[in-house]
Amino acid sequence: GESVGLHLPTLSVQEGDNSIINCAYSNSASDYFIWYKQESGKGPQFIIDIRSNMDKRQGQRVTVLLNKTVKHLSLQIAATQPGDSAVYFCAENDWYSGGSNYKLTFGKGTLLTVNP
Amino acid sequence: KAGVTQTPRYLIKTRGQQVTLSCSPISGHRSVSWYQQTPGQGLQFLFEYFSETQRNKGNFPGRFSGRQFSNSRSEMNVSTLELGDSALYLCASSLEKPSTDTQYFGPGTRLTVL
């Protein structure tokens, strides 16, 4: 889940298992959410997004689930591979934070480690 | 289509100096956002530009500034560098609004202040 301090939550899985990374977002008015993957030494890479009029969206090996009732977002990675090892961030368009609609607010991230 | 590019990729400066970082967005993207990423604070929003205008600014001191050119390329400047400015500076572009259009990141500029 989301980190509120200096330490990233971590998730360690075996290669081939499914991974689930969770994110609690802060603003019930947020209506656009994105998951990013960041490998060491690289910029965040877009994985998948979802708008609030959907509960689920699927991509290649990834599924994002949105539960607006409890303000919860999850990223499911099927058949996790060593190349999936990275930090995963969720982001929301935090409409009312600062009163602007021109930015995303990012969570602290979750470190996924895939063991061969 | 080429991705977001940032130059330089690495910089080493000393306290008190100033630095300028450059970002070229994806072709056709008019919104450019800048973020600072540190291990302790995560990804923090600096500012966002669209059509050469700053539309939003994060909670950073005035030493951090930016601009956008007519071709959507953007630069950010940090004056009077402090040790705490050491970070990965990321640029991201989107079509028009980062709040509703997918935002794509560049590889970042790693700034080290000694």
Side-chain angles (χ1 to χ4, degrees):
Chain A
E2 282 297 300
S3 170
V4 294
L6 297 177
H7 303 290
L8 288 179
T10 57
L11 176 64
S12 184
V13 301
Q14 290 297 122
E15 182 178 359
D17 287 351
N18 296 333
S19 302
I20 299 177
I21 300 170
N22 296 304
C23 176
Y25 64 92
S26 57
N27 192 338
S28 57
S30 297
D31 58 9
Y32 178 54
F33 306 89
I34 308 179
W35 280 100
Y36 287 94
K37 170 188 179 183
Q38 187 174 25
E39 298 173 275
S40 182
K42 297 184 178 180
Q45 175 188 354
F46 170 82
I47 302 174
I48 192 168
D49 58 5
I50 189 168
R51 301 193 187 271
S52 61
N53 60 351
M54 301 174 73
D55 297 322
K56 178 180 178 179
R57 191 168 187 216
Q58 290 184 289
Q60 187 177 14
R61 282 202 306 121
V62 294
T63 300
V64 56
L65 298 177
L66 175 61
N67 185 330
K68 295 179 285 293
T69 303
V70 295
K71 294 189 287 184
H72 184 267
L73 196 64
S74 68
L75 176 70
Q76 300 178 1
I77 305 174
T80 314
Q81 302 166 0
D84 295 327
S85 294
V87 176
Y88 289 80
F89 295 95
C90 65
E92 62 180 300
N93 65 341
D94 195 0
W95 285 92
Y96 294 106
S97 175
S100 169
N101 65 349
Y102 300 124
K103 71 183 180 86
L104 297 176
T105 297
F106 286 81
K108 295 291 187 189
T110 295
L111 174 62
L112 174 66
T113 302
V114 182
N115 302 308
Chain B
K1 203 183 251 190
V4 179
T5 58
Q6 293 187 246
T7 56
R9 292 294 312 279
Y10 303 92
L11 266 178
I12 299 176
K13 294 285 187 179
T14 56
R15 280 180 298 174
Q17 287 187 307
Q18 74 164 13
V19 66
T20 299
L21 312 181
S22 182
C23 170
S24 292
I26 292 172
S27 177
H29 284 195
R30 298 167 66 193
S31 168
V32 174
S33 299
W34 288 90
Y35 295 85
Q36 181 195 65
Q37 187 177 32
T38 60
Q41 298 297 319
L43 269 158
Q44 292 191 291
F45 174 77
L46 280 158
F47 25 65
E48 187 261 354
Y49 288 88
F50 178 84
S51 288
E52 303 178 67
T53 300
Q54 185 183 90
R55 292 194 296 192
N56 196 10
K57 189 177 190 303
N59 194 23
F60 278 82
R63 299 185 297 107
F64 292 82
S65 62
R67 60 177 175 169
Q68 187 181 35
F69 302 95
S70 59
N71 61 357
S72 295
R73 191 177 69 83
S74 177
E75 290 181 345
M76 68 163 281
N77 184 277
V78 188
S79 62
T80 320
L81 284 165
E82 300 177 359
L83 295 178
D85 296 333
S86 293
L88 181 67
Y89 289 88
L90 292 160
C91 166
S93 76
S94 58
L95 276 171
E96 295 203 356
K97 283 186 182 180
S99 53
T100 54
D101 304 322
T102 305
Q103 196 167 141
Y104 296 92
F105 283 84
T109 295
R110 172 72 63 185
L111 172 65
T112 302
V113 182
L114 303 176

